Amino acid sequence: VSENIIISTRNLGDVETEDHLTAASQGDSGDLTFNAPEITLMTGSKLLTHVEKDSSYAPGKITLQATAIPEIDGFGITSQSTAKITVNGATLKGGTVTFDAAATDATTFDDDGTPSDAFFNLVTGVRVLAGVSLSRANAEILINGASRIEADSLTMNAAAQTNATVKTISTGLGVAWGESSPTAKVIVGD
């Protein structure tokens, strides 16, 4: 969400002229959901689904869900997925506010005559069976300094899961390397 943009589901008397941050509710607020691999709320942006204190109306939910899409290199050896939610000086006011960043990645090298096998055969003239599989997943929630979150309930969850599998079959020399690196962080600044 760009700087100084307001997204509101508040039910107000006049949505064109009333202040969405402070005006009295005229009914229940709606829910607001964002779903993308990376979500960024810039300085001055506002997500508003709240109602005023002691209101008889219900606030809406705010859900920011970053779900990673794996990126695979040209050789099919390395794969990485990143899910990230960044709040840079934004305001969120709602009932239940949920941040969920989830990154899952799996890479498999299977001794099936892949381009890397052909390359080793061409260069060396010897069939060396080698397999490499690198899998990385990063899930991050970052709440920076001047951000403001007001909620009846707040949940922040970052989860990363990886799996690197190497299968190589050799009657002579065989080498296999598998590396799995998941990272999940929730960082709340001053």
Side-chain angles (χ1 to χ4, degrees):
V1 177
S2 298
E3 290 184 6
N4 301 313
I5 297 296
I6 298 172
I7 300 175
S8 173
T9 63
R10 298 201 59 219
N11 187 340
L12 305 176
D14 186 343
V15 296
E16 297 292 325
T17 62
E18 291 191 70
D19 184 342
H20 283 257
L21 195 59
T22 60
S25 297
Q26 302 298 310
D28 295 344
S29 293
D31 295 338
L32 186 57
T33 301
F34 287 80
N35 191 346
E38 292 194 30
I39 300 167
T40 302
L41 304 179
M42 299 302 293
T43 302
S45 63
K46 295 177 177 63
L47 303 183
L48 307 175
T49 66
H50 65 286
V51 295
E52 65 279 359
K53 186 177 179 176
D54 299 324
S55 174
S56 60
Y57 301 112
K61 298 175 187 175
I62 298 174
T63 304
L64 304 181
Q65 185 167 359
T67 305
I69 299 171
E71 298 173 9
I72 301 172
D73 73 0
F75 295 105
I77 295 171
T78 304
S79 181
Q80 177 170 320
S81 62
T82 300
K84 187 173 184 178
I85 299 170
T86 305
V87 180
N88 286 320
T91 299
L92 293 86
K93 290 182 74 172
T96 299
V97 176
T98 304
F99 295 80
D100 187 19
T104 302
D105 192 78
T107 305
T108 299
F109 176 89
D110 207 348
D111 186 22
D112 60 358
T114 62
S116 59
D117 289 344
F119 175 76
F120 288 121
N121 291 341
L122 178 66
V123 172
T124 65
V126 177
R127 180 155 170 81
V128 176
L129 298 174
V132 176
S133 177
L134 306 173
S135 180
R136 294 182 177 91
N138 301 304
E140 182 176 301
I141 299 170
L142 177 59
I143 310 297
N144 291 325
S147 299
R148 181 178 167 186
I149 302 171
E150 294 182 29
D152 297 337
S153 167
L154 174 63
T155 302
M156 294 187 188
N157 180 49
Q161 180 179 0
T162 59
N163 182 19
T165 304
V166 180
K167 297 176 186 176
T168 183
I169 302 168
S170 175
T171 56
L173 176 63
V175 178
W177 177 267
E179 184 177 318
S180 179
S181 302
T183 304
K185 304 184 239 187
V186 174
I187 300 169
V188 179
D190 295 338

